[in-house]
C-alpha cells in the first residue's frame, strides 16, 4: 500500500497505478458515490529488506490498518494499529502512528483502533494540542462486563476527553463482539445486539465543538441536599443538616462506614476489595493500596439484589498489562459475595448517589451502564478537593455498573 504522505493518489480514478489495490479502489469509489469521508479497517502488507533486523522471514510486514479517503476519493491518510490484542497475523509498527485528518465540515479527526483505547499512545497523545474534536474508532471488541463492554468504554472516552467518538465494532455475537455508537460527552446513540446476526447503520447529528460534563464541579448548585452532604464529607465537616431551627448531626455516619464487612472477589480478572451495599441509604468507604473509594447513596426501595462498592489499585496482567485505579458500584451475579464481579446485564436496583475517589491520575473513564445494556448519563463529573466524583439521580432503570476507571499509563 503506497504511503499517502509520499504519494497523492485517487484509487477510484487511477485504478491501475498500483498493483493489488482492488479493495482500496472500491473504498475510494464508495467515498465518491456517497460524497463522504470514509474510514475503513483492513489488513495491509509492506515489503521490507533483509537488512532490516525486524523484517519477517517472508520479507514483508503485515499491519492492522485504518485507511482514510476524502469525499472526492483521494487516499488521504492511514493508521497502523500499535497495541495488538492476540493478533498473530499482524506486526507492531516500529513507530507509533499519530494519524489526524482534516475535514472542511468539522475540523480535525483522530484515528485509532480497538485495544489502542486503553493506552497513552496513540489515543491520548492525539488529543494533546492537536485541536482534535472527533475520534474515528474501528474495532473488533469482545465485550467484558461489568467494566469493559464496547459501548461502555466508547462513551466513557467521549465523556472523559470531551470529544465526539464514532465507533464501528464488528458485529459477531458468537464471539461476544457487538456494540457500536456515535458518542458525545453528553449523550450517545448506540447499537448493542447479542441476538441477531445483522448489523445496523447508526446516524446522529452532533456538534462540531462538543461540550462536556467534566470540569463543572464548582458550578454545582450547592443547595442540592445530597450534594451539600457530599461537599461536607469531602471538607471533613461533621455529617450535619441545617434547617431554620437547629443543626442536626447524624452520629451514625462513621458507624455506617465501618458496619459493612470487607471482602474480596474477582472482577475483570483482578482481585477487588469490596463492601456490600445493603441499606436503603448510607455512606460507605473501601480502600486498597493508595486508593479509597466512597459512596453516598439513597434508594427509594430495596430490591432483592446484592450490590457492592469495590476498589482496585494495581497492575492488570490478564489479556494485556496495564495499571488501573478503579472505583466501581456493581450489581452482583447473585446474593453471595463471590458473585460480585460476574457478568450480568439485567438489574432493578435504583440509586441516587455520589461516588468518588482520591485518584492519583487525571485520566479517568466514567463508566455507566443500566439494565438491558443501556448507557446511563451522569448528572455531573469533576474534581472536588482532590477527589474525582460522579453524581447521578433519577435513574429510569436498574443500575448494572457505575464506575470510575482510572489509567496510570506511566506505571504500565
Amino acid at each position: 500500500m503506497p504511503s499517502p504522505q509520499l504519494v497523492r493518489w485517487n484509487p477510484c480514478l487511477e485504478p491501475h497505478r498500483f498493483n493489488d489495490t482492488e479493495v482500496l479502489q472500491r473504498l475510494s469509489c464508495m467515498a465518491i458515490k456517497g460524497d463522504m469521508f470514509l474510514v475503513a479497517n483492513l489488513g495491509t502488507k509492506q515489503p521490507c529488506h533483509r537488512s532490516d533486523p525486524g523484517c519477517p522471514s517472508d520479507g514483508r510486514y503485515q499491519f492492522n490498518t485504518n485507511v482514510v479517503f476524502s469525499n472526492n476519493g483521494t487516499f488521504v491518510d492511514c493508521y497502523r494499529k500499535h497495541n495488538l490484542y492476540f493478533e498473530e497475523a499482524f506486526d507492531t509498527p516500529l513507530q507509533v502512528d499519530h494519524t489526524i485528518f482534516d475535514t472542511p465540515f468539522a475540523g480535525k479527526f483522530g484515528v485509532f483502533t480497538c485495544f489502542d483505547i486503553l493506552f497513552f499512545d496513540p489515543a491520548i497523545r492525539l488529543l494533546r494540542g492537536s485541536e482534535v474534536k472527533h475520534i474515528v474508532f474501528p474495532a473488533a471488541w469482545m465485550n467484558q462486563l461489568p467494566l469493559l463492554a464496547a459501548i461502555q468504554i466508547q462513551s466513557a472516552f467521549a465523556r472523559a476527553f470531551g470529544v465526539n467518538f464514532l465507533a464501528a465494532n464488528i458485529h459477531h455475537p458468537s464471539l461476544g463482539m457487538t456494540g457500536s455508537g456515535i458518542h458525545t460527552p453528553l449523550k450517545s446513540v448506540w447499537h448493542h445486539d447479542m441476538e441477531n446476526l445483522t448489523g445496523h447503520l447508526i446516524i446522529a447529528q452532533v456538534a462540531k465543538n462538543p461540550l462536556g460534563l467534566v470540569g463543572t464541579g464548582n458550578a454545582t448548585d450547592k443547595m442540592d441536599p445530597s450534594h451539600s452532604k457530599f461537599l461536607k464529607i469531602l471538607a471533613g465537616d461533621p455529617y450535619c443538616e441545617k434547617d431554620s431551627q437547629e443543626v442536626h448531626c447524624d452520629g451514625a455516619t462513621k458507624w455506617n462506614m465501618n458496619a459493612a464487612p470487607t471482602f474480596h472477589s474477582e472482577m475483570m480478572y483482578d482481585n477487588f476489595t469490596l463492601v456490600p451495599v445493603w441499606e436503603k441509604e448510607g455512606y460507605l468507604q473501601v480502600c486498597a493500596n493508595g486508593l479509597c473509594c466512597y459512596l453516598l447513596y439513597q434508594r427509594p426501595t430495596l430490591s432483592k439484589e446484592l450490590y457492592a462498592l469495590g476498589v482496585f489499585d494495581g497492575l492488570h496482567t490478564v489479556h494485556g498489562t496495564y495499571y488501573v485505579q478503579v472505583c466501581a458500584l456493581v450489581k452482583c451475579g447473585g446474593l453471595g459475595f463471590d458473585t460480585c464481579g460476574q457478568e450480568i446485564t439485567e438489574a432493578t436496583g435504583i440509586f441516587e448517589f455520589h461516588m468518588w475517589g482520591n485518584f492519583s491520575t487525571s485520566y479517568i473513564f466514567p463508566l455507566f451502564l443500566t439494565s438491558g445494556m443501556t448507557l446511563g448519563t451522569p448528572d455531573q463529573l469533576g474534581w472536588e478537593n482532590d477527589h474525582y466524583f460522579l453524581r447521578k439521580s433519577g435513574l429510569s432503570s436498574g443500575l448494572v455498573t457505575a464506575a470510575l476507571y482510572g489509567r496510570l499509563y506511566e506505571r504500565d
Side-chain angles (χ1 to χ4, degrees), residues 141 143 149-152 154 167-173 176-183 188-203 372-375:
W141 188 280
N143 290 295
I151 58 174
Q152 267 182 309
Q154 294 162 13
N169 193 17
I170 284 179
H171 186 69
H172 202 319
M177 296 179 181
T178 187
S180 300
I182 299 174
H183 309 273
S188 295
V189 179
W190 74 92
H191 179 72
H192 177 101
D193 182 2
M194 286 294 290
E195 304 298 325
N196 300 297
L197 298 179
T198 54
H200 186 78
L201 176 65
I202 300 172
I203 300 174
M373 292 301 296
T374 302
L375 289 172

Side-chain angles (χ1 to χ4, degrees), residues 145-146 149 151-152 367-371 373-376 398-402:
L145 292 166
I151 58 174
Q152 267 182 309
L367 308 172
F368 207 121
L369 195 65
T370 58
S371 191
M373 292 301 296
T374 302
L375 289 172
L399 180 67
V400 172
T401 302

Side-chain angles (χ1 to χ4, degrees), residues 334-345:
L335 297 179
F337 288 170
D338 60 342
T339 67
C340 297
Q342 292 181 357
E343 299 196 27
I344 61 104
T345 59

Side-chain angles (χ1 to χ4, degrees), residues 121 174 190 207 224-225 244 265 315 338 341 391:
D121 259 327
S174 65
W190 74 92
D224 175 83
S244 60
S265 188
L315 190 67
D338 60 342
R391 173 191 181 194

